[in-house]
Amino acid sequence: MTEQDLDLTGLTAVQLLDGYRKGEFSPVDVTRAALERAERIQPEVNAFVRLTADEALAQATASADRWRRGEPAGLLDGVPVTVKDILLLRGAPTLKGSKTISEQGRLDEDAPSVARLRENGAVFLGKTTTPEFGWKGVTDSPLNGVTRNPHDPTRTAGGSSGGAAAAVALGAGPLALGTDGGGSVRIPAAFCGIFALKPTYGRVPLYPASAFGTLAHVGPMTRDAADAALLLDVIGTPDSRDWSALAAPPGSFAAGLSGGVRGLRVAYSPSLGGQVAVRPAVAAAVRRAVERLAELGAYVTEADPDFTDPVDAFHTLWFSGAARVTQHLGPQQRELLDPGLREICAQGARLTALDYLAAVDVRMELGRRMGHFHESYDLLVTPTLPITAFEAGVEVPKGSGHRRWTGWTPFTYPFNMTQQPAASVPVGKDADGLPVGLQLVAARHRDDLVLRAAHALYEAEVADTALSVTPSGS
Protein backbone atom coordinates (compact mmCIF):
# COMPACT_ATOMS: atom_id res chain seq x y z
CA MET A 1 0.00 0.00 0.00
CA THR A 2 1.34 3.47 -0.91
CA GLU A 3 0.52 6.95 0.29
CA GLN A 4 -1.32 7.55 -2.98
CA ASP A 5 -3.71 4.69 -2.15
CA LEU A 6 -4.80 6.38 1.06
CA ASP A 7 -6.55 9.50 2.25
CA LEU A 8 -4.13 10.16 5.06
CA THR A 9 -6.58 12.52 6.75
CA GLY A 10 -9.07 9.67 7.10
CA LEU A 11 -6.82 7.41 9.19
CA THR A 12 -6.98 7.03 12.94
CA ALA A 13 -3.95 7.51 15.17
CA VAL A 14 -3.68 3.72 15.56
CA GLN A 15 -3.63 3.32 11.78
CA LEU A 16 -1.07 6.11 11.35
CA LEU A 17 1.29 4.52 13.85
CA ASP A 18 0.97 1.19 12.08
CA GLY A 19 1.80 2.90 8.79
CA TYR A 20 4.85 4.60 10.29
CA ARG A 21 6.13 1.28 11.64
CA LYS A 22 5.71 -0.35 8.22
CA GLY A 23 7.23 2.59 6.36
CA GLU A 24 4.08 3.08 4.23
CA PHE A 25 4.11 6.86 4.76
CA SER A 26 5.86 9.35 7.00
CA PRO A 27 4.81 11.87 9.65
CA VAL A 28 5.72 14.62 7.18
CA ASP A 29 3.24 13.26 4.61
CA VAL A 30 0.54 13.02 7.25
CA THR A 31 1.19 16.45 8.75
CA ARG A 32 1.13 18.15 5.35
CA ALA A 33 -2.17 16.44 4.54
CA ALA A 34 -3.67 17.44 7.91
CA LEU A 35 -2.52 21.07 7.54
CA GLU A 36 -3.93 21.26 4.01
CA ARG A 37 -7.24 19.90 5.27
CA ALA A 38 -7.25 22.39 8.17
CA GLU A 39 -6.67 25.31 5.80
CA ARG A 40 -9.39 24.06 3.45
CA ILE A 41 -12.07 23.67 6.12
CA GLN A 42 -11.29 26.84 8.05
CA PRO A 43 -13.27 29.33 5.92
CA GLU A 44 -16.45 27.24 6.23
CA VAL A 45 -16.39 25.83 9.76
CA ASN A 46 -13.94 28.12 11.63
CA ALA A 47 -12.41 25.34 13.75
CA PHE A 48 -9.05 27.01 14.41
CA VAL A 49 -7.84 30.18 16.07
CA ARG A 50 -4.27 29.50 14.98
CA LEU A 51 -2.42 26.99 12.82
CA THR A 52 1.21 26.35 13.77
CA ALA A 53 2.28 25.02 10.38
CA ASP A 54 6.02 25.74 10.52
CA GLU A 55 6.39 24.24 13.98
CA ALA A 56 4.26 21.22 13.03
CA LEU A 57 6.34 20.45 9.94
CA ALA A 58 9.55 20.77 11.96
CA GLN A 59 8.15 18.38 14.57
CA ALA A 60 7.04 15.98 11.83
CA THR A 61 10.47 16.04 10.20
CA ALA A 62 12.14 15.19 13.50
CA SER A 63 9.61 12.41 14.02
CA ALA A 64 10.27 10.98 10.55
CA ASP A 65 13.99 10.83 11.37
CA ARG A 66 13.26 8.94 14.58
CA TRP A 67 11.02 6.43 12.78
CA ARG A 68 13.73 5.86 10.13
CA ARG A 69 16.16 5.04 12.93
CA GLY A 70 13.60 2.78 14.58
CA GLU A 71 13.60 4.98 17.68
CA PRO A 72 10.14 6.57 18.10
CA ALA A 73 9.97 9.00 21.01
CA GLY A 74 6.80 7.59 22.54
CA LEU A 75 3.32 6.25 22.02
CA LEU A 76 2.17 9.01 19.64
CA ASP A 77 5.32 9.92 17.73
CA GLY A 78 4.37 11.77 14.55
CA VAL A 79 0.62 11.83 15.15
CA PRO A 80 -1.06 15.22 14.54
CA VAL A 81 -3.05 16.67 17.43
CA THR A 82 -4.93 19.92 18.07
CA VAL A 83 -5.21 21.81 21.36
CA LYS A 84 -8.28 23.73 22.51
CA ASP A 85 -7.46 27.38 23.11
CA ILE A 86 -8.13 26.98 26.82
CA LEU A 87 -4.94 24.93 27.36
CA LEU A 88 -1.39 26.28 27.28
CA LEU A 89 0.68 25.39 24.21
CA ARG A 90 4.27 26.61 24.35
CA GLY A 91 4.98 29.28 21.74
CA ALA A 92 1.32 30.08 21.01
CA PRO A 93 -0.85 32.55 22.93
CA THR A 94 -3.81 31.17 24.88
CA LEU A 95 -6.59 33.71 24.45
CA LYS A 96 -9.60 31.59 25.49
CA GLY A 97 -11.86 33.28 22.95
CA SER A 98 -11.60 36.59 24.80
CA LYS A 99 -10.62 40.09 23.74
CA THR A 100 -9.62 40.74 27.36
CA ILE A 101 -6.47 38.55 27.27
CA SER A 102 -3.12 39.78 25.95
CA GLU A 103 -1.33 37.83 23.21
CA GLN A 104 1.92 38.38 25.09
CA GLY A 105 1.14 36.19 28.10
CA ARG A 106 1.97 32.56 28.98
CA LEU A 107 4.00 31.63 25.88
CA ASP A 108 6.72 29.63 27.63
CA GLU A 109 4.83 26.71 29.21
CA ASP A 110 2.77 23.68 28.19
CA ALA A 111 -0.31 22.47 30.06
CA PRO A 112 0.29 19.03 31.60
CA SER A 113 -1.61 17.17 28.87
CA VAL A 114 0.25 19.10 26.18
CA ALA A 115 3.59 18.39 27.87
CA ARG A 116 2.88 14.64 27.91
CA LEU A 117 2.01 14.75 24.21
CA ARG A 118 5.20 16.65 23.42
CA GLU A 119 7.25 14.07 25.34
CA ASN A 120 5.62 11.35 23.26
CA GLY A 121 6.47 12.97 19.93
CA ALA A 122 3.04 14.31 18.93
CA VAL A 123 2.82 16.96 16.21
CA PHE A 124 0.87 20.11 17.16
CA LEU A 125 -1.21 21.45 14.27
CA GLY A 126 -2.63 24.43 16.13
CA LYS A 127 -5.23 25.69 18.57
CA THR A 128 -8.98 25.24 18.22
CA THR A 129 -11.90 27.53 18.93
CA THR A 130 -13.82 27.90 22.16
CA PRO A 131 -16.55 30.22 23.45
CA GLU A 132 -15.16 32.87 25.75
CA PHE A 133 -13.54 31.11 28.73
CA GLY A 134 -15.41 27.94 27.68
CA TRP A 135 -18.57 29.22 29.33
CA LYS A 136 -21.33 27.68 27.17
CA GLY A 137 -22.36 24.60 25.18
CA VAL A 138 -21.93 26.19 21.73
CA THR A 139 -18.82 27.68 20.17
CA ASP A 140 -18.85 31.34 19.25
CA SER A 141 -16.94 34.22 20.78
CA PRO A 142 -16.40 37.96 20.35
CA LEU A 143 -12.77 37.23 19.43
CA ASN A 144 -13.09 34.35 16.96
CA GLY A 145 -16.66 34.33 15.66
CA VAL A 146 -18.88 31.30 15.08
CA THR A 147 -17.73 27.69 14.71
CA ARG A 148 -20.00 25.64 12.46
CA ASN A 149 -21.05 22.01 12.17
CA PRO A 150 -19.11 19.85 9.68
CA HIS A 151 -22.34 18.09 8.62
CA ASP A 152 -24.27 21.32 7.99
CA PRO A 153 -22.50 24.67 8.32
CA THR A 154 -25.76 26.44 9.12
CA ARG A 155 -25.84 24.48 12.40
CA THR A 156 -23.71 24.73 15.53
CA ALA A 157 -20.78 22.43 16.21
CA GLY A 158 -21.70 22.49 19.90
CA GLY A 159 -19.25 23.48 22.59
CA SER A 160 -17.35 24.45 24.33
CA SER A 161 -14.79 22.25 22.50
CA GLY A 162 -16.53 22.89 19.18
CA GLY A 163 -13.42 23.63 17.14
CA ALA A 164 -11.77 20.45 18.34
CA ALA A 165 -14.79 18.33 17.38
CA ALA A 166 -15.12 19.92 13.93
CA ALA A 167 -11.40 19.45 13.25
CA VAL A 168 -11.48 15.74 14.10
CA ALA A 169 -14.70 15.18 12.16
CA LEU A 170 -13.22 16.76 9.02
CA GLY A 171 -9.79 15.10 9.14
CA ALA A 172 -7.68 17.99 10.44
CA GLY A 173 -5.83 15.68 12.82
CA PRO A 174 -7.14 12.44 14.36
CA LEU A 175 -6.58 13.56 17.97
CA ALA A 176 -7.72 16.63 19.88
CA LEU A 177 -7.49 17.88 23.44
CA GLY A 178 -10.72 19.37 24.78
CA THR A 179 -12.00 20.50 28.15
CA ASP A 180 -15.32 19.63 29.77
CA GLY A 181 -16.93 21.52 32.66
CA GLY A 182 -20.56 20.69 31.92
CA GLY A 183 -20.46 18.57 28.77
CA SER A 184 -17.93 20.46 26.69
CA VAL A 185 -16.28 17.49 24.98
CA ARG A 186 -19.44 15.35 24.86
CA ILE A 187 -21.80 18.01 23.47
CA PRO A 188 -19.75 18.82 20.35
CA ALA A 189 -18.84 15.15 19.91
CA ALA A 190 -22.54 14.29 19.72
CA PHE A 191 -23.31 17.15 17.33
CA CYS A 192 -20.29 16.45 15.08
CA GLY A 193 -20.37 12.62 15.08
CA ILE A 194 -17.10 11.82 16.84
CA PHE A 195 -16.03 10.14 20.09
CA ALA A 196 -15.14 12.06 23.26
CA LEU A 197 -14.39 11.04 26.82
CA LYS A 198 -14.64 13.13 29.97
CA PRO A 199 -12.40 11.02 32.21
CA THR A 200 -12.71 10.66 35.95
CA TYR A 201 -11.79 13.98 37.53
CA GLY A 202 -8.03 14.12 38.13
CA ARG A 203 -7.19 11.39 35.64
CA VAL A 204 -5.82 14.08 33.30
CA PRO A 205 -4.00 16.82 35.23
CA LEU A 206 -5.05 20.41 34.61
CA TYR A 207 -2.87 23.49 35.04
CA PRO A 208 -3.44 26.39 35.41
CA ALA A 209 -6.41 25.47 37.58
CA SER A 210 -9.81 26.27 36.11
CA ALA A 211 -11.92 29.00 37.66
CA PHE A 212 -14.75 26.47 37.41
CA GLY A 213 -12.91 24.36 39.95
CA THR A 214 -13.45 20.63 40.17
CA LEU A 215 -16.17 20.68 37.50
CA ALA A 216 -13.48 21.11 34.85
CA HIS A 217 -11.92 18.09 33.15
CA VAL A 218 -9.50 17.60 30.23
CA GLY A 219 -10.44 14.84 27.81
CA PRO A 220 -9.60 13.18 24.49
CA MET A 221 -11.64 13.85 21.35
CA THR A 222 -11.06 11.32 18.59
CA ARG A 223 -12.69 9.30 15.83
CA ASP A 224 -13.06 6.17 17.96
CA ALA A 225 -12.52 4.67 21.39
CA ALA A 226 -9.23 2.99 20.47
CA ASP A 227 -7.62 6.35 19.70
CA ALA A 228 -9.09 7.84 22.87
CA ALA A 229 -7.66 5.02 24.99
CA LEU A 230 -4.23 5.52 23.42
CA LEU A 231 -4.41 9.27 24.00
CA LEU A 232 -5.54 8.74 27.60
CA ASP A 233 -2.58 6.44 28.19
CA VAL A 234 -0.34 9.39 27.29
CA ILE A 235 -2.10 12.30 29.02
CA GLY A 236 -3.55 10.41 32.01
CA THR A 237 -0.41 10.52 34.18
CA PRO A 238 0.33 12.72 37.20
CA ASP A 239 1.81 16.21 37.03
CA SER A 240 3.10 17.99 40.11
CA ARG A 241 1.42 21.26 39.09
CA ASP A 242 -2.03 19.76 39.75
CA TRP A 243 -2.43 18.80 43.41
CA SER A 244 -5.69 16.96 42.62
CA ALA A 245 -4.20 14.71 39.92
CA LEU A 246 -4.69 10.98 40.37
CA ALA A 247 -1.87 8.48 40.63
CA ALA A 248 -0.85 6.71 37.44
CA PRO A 249 -3.40 4.08 36.36
CA PRO A 250 -2.55 0.44 37.12
CA GLY A 251 -2.49 -0.55 33.45
CA SER A 252 -2.96 0.58 29.89
CA PHE A 253 -6.41 1.73 28.77
CA ALA A 254 -5.56 0.72 25.19
CA ALA A 255 -4.55 -2.77 26.28
CA GLY A 256 -7.85 -3.22 28.14
CA LEU A 257 -10.15 -2.40 25.24
CA SER A 258 -10.76 -5.96 24.11
CA GLY A 259 -12.69 -7.02 27.21
CA GLY A 260 -16.05 -6.39 25.55
CA VAL A 261 -19.36 -5.98 27.35
CA ARG A 262 -20.37 -9.58 27.97
CA GLY A 263 -21.70 -9.86 31.51
CA LEU A 264 -21.70 -6.12 32.22
CA ARG A 265 -24.78 -4.76 33.98
CA VAL A 266 -26.10 -1.87 31.92
CA ALA A 267 -28.84 0.54 33.00
CA TYR A 268 -30.58 2.24 30.10
CA SER A 269 -32.26 5.53 31.02
CA PRO A 270 -34.00 6.98 27.95
CA SER A 271 -35.10 10.23 29.64
CA LEU A 272 -33.82 10.26 33.25
CA GLY A 273 -37.16 9.05 34.50
CA GLY A 274 -39.26 11.22 32.24
CA GLN A 275 -37.46 14.42 33.19
CA VAL A 276 -36.14 15.04 29.64
CA ALA A 277 -38.12 15.33 26.40
CA VAL A 278 -35.98 13.52 23.83
CA ARG A 279 -36.46 13.98 20.10
CA PRO A 280 -37.84 10.75 18.56
CA ALA A 281 -34.96 10.30 16.06
CA VAL A 282 -32.45 10.62 18.89
CA ALA A 283 -34.33 8.19 21.12
CA ALA A 284 -34.60 5.62 18.30
CA ALA A 285 -30.89 5.74 17.44
CA VAL A 286 -29.87 5.38 21.07
CA ARG A 287 -32.29 2.50 21.64
CA ARG A 288 -30.86 0.63 18.63
CA ALA A 289 -27.37 0.96 20.07
CA VAL A 290 -28.56 -0.23 23.48
CA GLU A 291 -30.08 -3.28 21.78
CA ARG A 292 -26.70 -3.91 20.19
CA LEU A 293 -25.07 -3.89 23.64
CA ALA A 294 -27.54 -6.58 24.69
CA GLU A 295 -26.71 -8.61 21.56
CA LEU A 296 -23.04 -8.35 22.52
CA GLY A 297 -23.76 -9.96 25.90
CA ALA A 298 -24.50 -7.10 28.27
CA TYR A 299 -27.33 -7.47 30.76
CA VAL A 300 -29.47 -4.44 29.88
CA THR A 301 -32.21 -3.14 32.18
CA GLU A 302 -34.28 -0.01 31.69
CA ALA A 303 -33.55 1.87 34.91
CA ASP A 304 -33.18 5.50 35.95
CA PRO A 305 -30.67 6.96 38.39
CA ASP A 306 -32.31 8.35 41.51
CA PHE A 307 -31.89 12.09 41.14
CA THR A 308 -33.78 15.18 40.04
CA ASP A 309 -32.25 17.77 37.74
CA PRO A 310 -29.45 19.53 39.73
CA VAL A 311 -29.39 22.52 37.36
CA ASP A 312 -29.85 25.17 40.05
CA ALA A 313 -26.87 23.87 42.02
CA PHE A 314 -24.84 23.57 38.82
CA HIS A 315 -25.67 27.18 37.95
CA THR A 316 -24.48 28.33 41.36
CA LEU A 317 -21.14 26.57 40.87
CA TRP A 318 -20.83 27.59 37.22
CA PHE A 319 -21.91 31.21 37.49
CA SER A 320 -19.70 31.87 40.50
CA GLY A 321 -16.77 30.41 38.56
CA ALA A 322 -17.52 32.73 35.65
CA ALA A 323 -17.67 35.69 38.04
CA ARG A 324 -14.31 34.70 39.48
CA VAL A 325 -12.57 34.42 36.10
CA THR A 326 -13.71 37.93 35.13
CA GLN A 327 -13.41 39.52 38.58
CA HIS A 328 -10.29 41.50 37.68
CA LEU A 329 -11.82 43.19 34.62
CA GLY A 330 -12.67 46.89 34.64
CA PRO A 331 -15.87 48.36 33.17
CA GLN A 332 -14.40 48.92 29.71
CA GLN A 333 -13.08 45.37 29.49
CA ARG A 334 -16.40 43.96 30.66
CA GLU A 335 -18.05 45.62 27.68
CA LEU A 336 -15.87 43.40 25.46
CA LEU A 337 -17.30 40.19 26.93
CA ASP A 338 -19.88 37.92 25.30
CA PRO A 339 -23.21 39.42 26.50
CA GLY A 340 -24.41 36.05 27.81
CA LEU A 341 -21.20 35.61 29.78
CA ARG A 342 -21.58 39.10 31.18
CA GLU A 343 -25.08 38.16 32.39
CA ILE A 344 -24.03 35.03 34.24
CA CYS A 345 -21.02 36.81 35.75
CA ALA A 346 -23.37 39.38 37.23
CA GLN A 347 -25.54 36.60 38.65
CA GLY A 348 -22.50 34.78 40.00
CA ALA A 349 -21.18 37.90 41.70
CA ARG A 350 -24.42 38.15 43.73
CA LEU A 351 -24.07 34.62 45.14
CA THR A 352 -22.86 34.17 48.71
CA ALA A 353 -20.52 31.64 50.26
CA LEU A 354 -23.58 30.01 51.83
CA ASP A 355 -25.18 29.70 48.39
CA TYR A 356 -22.04 28.04 47.10
CA LEU A 357 -21.84 25.61 50.02
CA ALA A 358 -25.51 24.71 49.60
CA ALA A 359 -24.74 23.80 45.97
CA VAL A 360 -21.81 21.71 47.18
CA ASP A 361 -24.23 19.85 49.46
CA VAL A 362 -26.43 19.05 46.44
CA ARG A 363 -23.34 17.87 44.59
CA MET A 364 -22.26 15.59 47.41
CA GLU A 365 -25.71 14.03 47.65
CA LEU A 366 -25.76 13.50 43.89
CA GLY A 367 -22.42 11.74 44.14
CA ARG A 368 -23.71 9.52 46.93
CA ARG A 369 -26.76 8.55 44.89
CA MET A 370 -24.69 7.71 41.82
CA GLY A 371 -22.25 5.73 43.93
CA HIS A 372 -25.16 3.67 45.23
CA PHE A 373 -26.55 3.30 41.70
CA HIS A 374 -23.29 1.81 40.44
CA GLU A 375 -23.36 -0.86 43.11
CA SER A 376 -26.13 -2.38 40.96
CA TYR A 377 -25.01 -1.29 37.48
CA ASP A 378 -21.61 -1.16 35.81
CA LEU A 379 -22.72 1.33 33.18
CA LEU A 380 -25.44 3.91 32.70
CA VAL A 381 -26.55 4.65 29.12
CA THR A 382 -28.45 7.80 28.13
CA PRO A 383 -28.64 9.97 25.04
CA THR A 384 -25.77 12.44 25.11
CA LEU A 385 -28.23 15.18 24.15
CA PRO A 386 -32.00 15.18 23.62
CA ILE A 387 -31.64 16.98 20.27
CA THR A 388 -29.39 17.21 17.22
CA ALA A 389 -27.47 20.32 16.16
CA PHE A 390 -29.47 23.54 15.86
CA GLU A 391 -28.81 26.93 14.27
CA ALA A 392 -25.24 28.25 14.58
CA GLY A 393 -24.57 31.46 16.48
CA VAL A 394 -27.19 31.15 19.22
CA GLU A 395 -26.96 29.73 22.76
CA VAL A 396 -30.30 27.90 22.71
CA PRO A 397 -32.55 26.58 19.91
CA LYS A 398 -35.08 29.14 18.73
CA GLY A 399 -38.53 28.51 20.19
CA SER A 400 -37.21 26.10 22.83
CA GLY A 401 -38.09 28.32 25.76
CA HIS A 402 -34.67 27.72 27.29
CA ARG A 403 -32.80 30.65 28.80
CA ARG A 404 -29.34 29.13 29.05
CA TRP A 405 -27.43 26.29 27.35
CA THR A 406 -28.03 24.02 30.34
CA GLY A 407 -31.69 23.80 29.29
CA TRP A 408 -30.84 21.47 26.40
CA THR A 409 -27.91 19.59 28.02
CA PRO A 410 -29.57 17.85 30.99
CA PHE A 411 -27.74 14.54 30.40
CA THR A 412 -24.20 15.96 30.59
CA TYR A 413 -23.57 18.40 33.46
CA PRO A 414 -24.73 16.09 36.31
CA PHE A 415 -21.68 13.90 35.70
CA ASN A 416 -19.30 16.83 35.96
CA MET A 417 -20.78 17.38 39.39
CA THR A 418 -20.14 13.74 40.32
CA GLN A 419 -16.75 13.60 38.52
CA GLN A 420 -17.61 10.28 36.85
CA PRO A 421 -16.18 9.16 33.51
CA ALA A 422 -18.65 9.81 30.71
CA ALA A 423 -18.28 9.45 26.95
CA SER A 424 -20.28 10.31 23.84
CA VAL A 425 -20.37 7.67 21.11
CA PRO A 426 -21.82 8.37 17.64
CA VAL A 427 -24.74 5.98 16.99
CA GLY A 428 -26.44 7.25 13.86
CA LYS A 429 -28.01 10.28 12.21
CA ASP A 430 -31.42 11.88 12.04
CA ALA A 431 -33.42 12.49 8.85
CA ASP A 432 -31.43 15.68 8.20
CA GLY A 433 -28.13 13.82 8.31
CA LEU A 434 -27.17 15.24 11.70
CA PRO A 435 -25.31 12.95 14.13
CA VAL A 436 -26.78 11.43 17.28
CA GLY A 437 -24.69 10.62 20.34
CA LEU A 438 -25.10 7.99 23.06
CA GLN A 439 -23.64 8.68 26.51
CA LEU A 440 -21.88 5.98 28.53
CA VAL A 441 -21.29 6.68 32.23
CA ALA A 442 -19.43 4.54 34.79
CA ALA A 443 -18.50 4.83 38.44
CA ARG A 444 -15.53 7.03 39.30
CA HIS A 445 -12.20 5.46 38.30
CA ARG A 446 -13.85 3.04 35.86
CA ASP A 447 -12.83 4.83 32.68
CA ASP A 448 -11.81 1.41 31.39
CA LEU A 449 -15.45 0.22 31.34
CA VAL A 450 -16.60 3.26 29.38
CA LEU A 451 -13.84 2.76 26.81
CA ARG A 452 -14.47 -1.00 26.57
CA ALA A 453 -18.18 -0.57 25.91
CA ALA A 454 -17.59 2.18 23.36
CA HIS A 455 -14.98 0.05 21.61
CA ALA A 456 -17.38 -2.89 21.48
CA LEU A 457 -19.94 -0.68 19.74
CA TYR A 458 -17.34 0.53 17.25
CA GLU A 459 -16.20 -3.02 16.47
CA ALA A 460 -19.80 -4.12 15.95
CA GLU A 461 -20.36 -1.21 13.56
CA VAL A 462 -17.21 -2.10 11.61
CA ALA A 463 -18.35 -5.72 11.37
CA ASP A 464 -21.78 -4.61 10.14
CA THR A 465 -20.19 -2.35 7.53
CA ALA A 466 -17.93 -5.16 6.30
CA LEU A 467 -20.92 -7.47 5.92
CA SER A 468 -22.93 -4.86 4.05
CA VAL A 469 -20.21 -4.36 1.42
CA THR A 470 -19.39 -8.04 0.93
CA PRO A 471 -20.38 -9.01 -2.63
CA SER A 472 -23.32 -11.42 -2.80
CA GLY A 473 -22.29 -15.04 -3.25
CA SER A 474 -18.81 -14.50 -1.79
Side-chain angles (χ1 to χ4, degrees), residues 181-200:
S184 289
V185 300
R186 290 161 289 155
I187 295 165
F191 277 176
C192 293
I194 68 164
F195 179 82
L197 171 69
K198 179 190 76 66
T200 300

Side-chain angles (χ1 to χ4, degrees), residues 73-97:
L75 292 177
L76 290 172
D77 202 348
V79 177
V81 63
T82 63
V83 179
K84 183 180 179 181
D85 197 32
I86 291 288
L87 300 170
L88 298 179
L89 173 65
R90 196 172 70 220
T94 300
L95 304 181
K96 303 183 180 182

Side-chain angles (χ1 to χ4, degrees), residues 248-319:
S252 162
F253 291 108
L257 283 176
S258 61
V261 297
R262 185 166 298 280
L264 292 183
R265 302 163 301 168
V266 175
Y268 168 43
S269 179
S271 60
L272 295 180
Q275 296 182 77
V276 184
V278 178
R279 192 167 293 174
V282 172
V286 172
R287 184 173 290 277
R288 285 193 297 270
V290 170
E291 290 169 354
R292 175 49 60 91
L293 288 173
E295 292 168 4
L296 294 171
Y299 297 117
V300 177
T301 305
E302 194 161 318
D304 302 307
D306 178 26
F307 66 80
T308 55
D309 188 353
V311 66
D312 291 337
F314 179 80
H315 281 169
T316 296
L317 301 170
W318 194 252
F319 294 177

Side-chain angles (χ1 to χ4, degrees), residues 261-416:
V261 297
R262 185 166 298 280
L264 292 183
R265 302 163 301 168
V266 175
Y268 168 43
S269 179
S271 60
L272 295 180
Q275 296 182 77
V276 184
V278 178
R279 192 167 293 174
V282 172
V286 172
R287 184 173 290 277
R288 285 193 297 270
V290 170
E291 290 169 354
R292 175 49 60 91
L293 288 173
E295 292 168 4
L296 294 171
Y299 297 117
V300 177
T301 305
E302 194 161 318
D304 302 307
D306 178 26
F307 66 80
T308 55
D309 188 353
V311 66
D312 291 337
F314 179 80
H315 281 169
T316 296
L317 301 170
W318 194 252
F319 294 177
S320 59
R324 176 70 179 125
V325 80
T326 58
Q327 185 179 27
H328 66 288
L329 299 178
Q332 288 184 320
Q333 283 185 304
R334 286 184 178 274
E335 287 302 310
L336 300 175
L337 295 175
D338 179 327
L341 174 60
R342 201 160 55 236
E343 285 182 19
I344 71 163
C345 289
Q347 290 178 254
R350 293 192 292 269
L351 295 166
T352 68
L354 289 177
D355 294 328
Y356 190 93
L357 290 173
V360 170
D361 286 344
V362 172
R363 184 179 189 181
M364 296 299 182
E365 175 60 15
L366 181 62
R368 184 196 69 79
R369 287 171 182 262
M370 287 308 302
H372 179 69
F373 183 81
H374 283 291
E375 290 180 352
S376 301
Y377 300 102
D378 300 302
L379 290 168
L380 168 66
V381 176
T382 73
T384 306
L385 298 166
I387 59 175
T388 51
F390 53 88
E391 179 185 357
V394 295
E395 184 184 345
V396 300
K398 287 184 178 178
S400 66
H402 299 311
R403 181 75 183 95
R404 296 264 77 104
W405 62 272
T406 43
W408 52 270
T409 60
F411 293 111
T412 59
Y413 56 78
F415 304 110
N416 291 81

